[in-house]
Amino acid sequence: AAGSDPVGPCGRRAYAPPAERKRFYQNVSISQGEGGFEINLDHRKLKTPQAKLFTVPSEALAIAVATEWDSQKDTIKFYTMHLTTLCNTALDNPTQRNKTQLIRAAVKFLETDTVCYRVEEPPALAELQRNEWDPVVAWVEKRYNVTIGSSTSILGPNIPASTKETFISHLASYNMWALQGIEFVITQLKSLILSMSLIDRHITVEKAVLLSRLEEEYQIRRWGNVEWAHDYDLCELRARTAAGTLFVHLCSESSTVKHKLLQD
């Protein structure tokens, strides 16, 4: 879902861009239009894979996207442009889902949440999971006044319906753009619990990624790893998770700033 042709369709299937393309523009700028903030590549307007005008709801997000385009060197590496990808998804909505469907897809991750599935063996890993995951689960339970728990059963924990309804209600406070970002983060971490802890600024991106890969990191420390592959996967996951989190915050920025001004 990353860039397709930035100024319109060129016969390629939408959301299947080449991995790289020769940079064809010199300057990147932003401007405010009727529908929001636009990205300009020289004198051409950026467009989505479905040829819609690329407009974003906040100036801060527009600056962040423009920075992605401006930071490309001789070739455009679409796979590095996570904010552009998320904006394209929000604008084109290729899966044609509404707000309710996005929320329910996010909450469904609770049923298979990474931090809810525990092992009994080996004891060292079981202890590591308790030490690292239990505090985050406890914080989320207190923050949202819900019950989550954990289980060593392959079926996972029995999440109460009231817990799911609480998260459905909370996620409904976000706009469609932010929800796209939240689902993206959840997909990276395989965890609604870690994602909400991250978006609520309780844990950092580095910590969230580490906790989502706890068993893998345990095995690496025990048996070693293929260094380049491990480092690449880790950096990629951090980049995607950070971009998704930033996207959520930038898409929620206007209402947050307005709320703070009213409070002051």
Side-chain angles (χ1 to χ4, degrees):
S4 187
D5 190 311
V7 291
C10 291
R12 292 193 293 272
R13 184 170 60 86
Y15 300 95
E20 296 185 10
R21 176 184 175 182
K22 184 176 175 59
R23 178 166 171 160
F24 57 90
Y25 54 90
Q26 295 295 320
N27 301 304
V28 184
S29 62
I30 67 170
S31 57
Q32 188 167 10
E34 292 183 8
F37 292 88
E38 303 166 358
I39 312 297
N40 308 301
L41 304 179
D42 292 334
H43 301 295
R44 292 179 286 185
K45 299 290 186 185
L46 185 65
K47 293 187 178 179
T48 71
Q50 292 184 13
K52 295 177 183 177
L53 183 63
F54 190 104
T55 57
V56 301
S58 78
E59 184 177 15
L61 180 57
I63 291 170
V65 171
T67 301
E68 279 191 335
W69 286 89
D70 196 41
S71 65
Q72 303 301 306
K73 304 302 180 185
D74 295 333
T75 58
I76 307 169
K77 296 178 171 61
F78 292 109
Y79 54 85
T80 67
M81 303 170 72
H82 305 303
L83 293 174
T84 300
T85 296
L86 283 163
C87 291
N88 281 333
T89 302
L91 287 164
D92 285 347
N93 191 13
T95 56
Q96 295 299 302
R97 289 180 298 170
N98 58 32
K99 187 171 183 177
T100 299
Q101 290 171 315
L102 277 173
I103 291 170
R104 294 200 174 275
V107 173
K108 190 170 178 60
F109 269 88
L110 266 178
E111 299 170 6
T112 56
D113 201 290
T114 296
V115 302
C116 292
Y117 278 82
R118 306 298 177 86
V119 299
E120 294 179 321
E121 299 288 340
L125 177 56
E127 182 181 8
L128 185 64
Q129 290 178 338
R130 285 193 300 271
N131 292 341
E132 297 292 337
W133 286 347
D134 281 0
V136 179
V137 174
W139 184 86
V140 169
E141 287 181 327
K142 182 178 180 180
R143 159 77 172 83
Y144 293 98
N145 192 26
V146 295
T147 300
I148 297 170
S150 61
S151 174
T152 57
S153 166
I154 194 171
L155 299 176
N158 184 20
I159 306 292
S162 59
T163 295
K164 296 179 182 179
E165 289 303 319
T166 295
F167 279 112
I168 288 171
S169 176
H170 174 71
L171 290 173
S173 67
Y174 288 93
N175 60 45
M176 279 285 288
W177 281 66
L179 285 172
Q180 296 279 6
I182 291 171
E183 187 188 34
F184 182 77
V185 174
I186 293 172
T187 302
Q188 305 312 310
L189 300 176
K190 306 295 187 293
S191 172
L192 174 65
I193 295 168
L194 292 177
S195 298
M196 297 316 299
S197 299
L198 173 58
I199 290 165
D200 286 345
R201 297 182 173 91
H202 175 62
I203 58 177
T204 63
V205 169
E206 290 78 11
K207 182 72 170 178
V209 168
L210 177 63
L211 293 178
S212 75
R213 292 164 51 94
L214 199 62
E215 183 172 357
E216 184 177 351
E217 294 294 333
Y218 169 81
Q219 299 295 349
I220 287 170
R221 285 203 300 269
R222 187 176 182 186
W223 304 109
N225 68 298
V226 180
E227 187 173 344
W228 69 267
H230 169 257
D231 291 346
Y232 177 82
D233 289 345
L234 184 61
C235 288
E236 274 294 292
L237 183 54
R238 282 178 179 168
R240 291 192 298 269
T241 303
T245 306
L246 178 62
F247 183 82
V248 174
H249 289 159
L250 293 182
C251 290
S252 309
E253 184 185 65
S254 296
S255 58
T256 302
V257 171
K258 202 173 292 182
H259 177 70
K260 285 182 177 178
L261 288 173
L262 288 173
Q263 291 284 60
D264 293 339

